[in-house]
Amino acid sequence: DKHTPAPWRTVTDGISHWVEIGGKIVMVTKDNAEANATLIAAAPELLDACIAAEDLLRELETGGAENPELQLLQKAIAKAKGV
């Protein structure tokens, strides 16, 4: 994985919201800044959870390659990894 390892965390001054990643502060400046910052900060854990769920679905062989949940996980994992 090429992303900065967790933990990522949200920081606020009560008005603005940032994400701290690897000791660096990244400001979230768009609408819904708090929601965006929270989602960005959760990204490493979400990726780990997707990979674990993909592994589990493959192990259980539920629906094979046509399983829509497996396809959704694979698409999300590929996007997160820049593939």
Side-chain angles (χ1 to χ4, degrees), residues 11-59:
V11 179
T12 184
D13 61 6
I15 299 170
S16 300
H17 293 82
W18 297 262
V19 177
E20 183 180 281
I21 303 172
K24 295 180 182 177
I25 300 293
V26 178
M27 187 169 159
V28 179
T29 60
K30 303 232 179 219
D31 293 335
N32 304 312
E34 182 177 9
N36 291 340
T38 301
L39 180 60
I40 291 166
E45 290 87 355
L46 290 170
L47 178 57
D48 290 344
C50 286
I51 292 169
E54 179 193 25
D55 291 344
L56 180 61
L57 285 177
R58 285 180 181 277
E59 185 178 310

Side-chain angles (χ1 to χ4, degrees), residues 52-75:
E54 179 193 25
D55 291 344
L56 180 61
L57 285 177
R58 285 180 181 277
E59 185 178 310
L60 296 174
E61 296 183 26
T62 55
E66 299 302 316
N67 182 320
E69 289 79 14
L70 180 59
Q71 291 175 356
L72 183 63
L73 287 167
Q74 290 170 331
K75 183 177 177 182

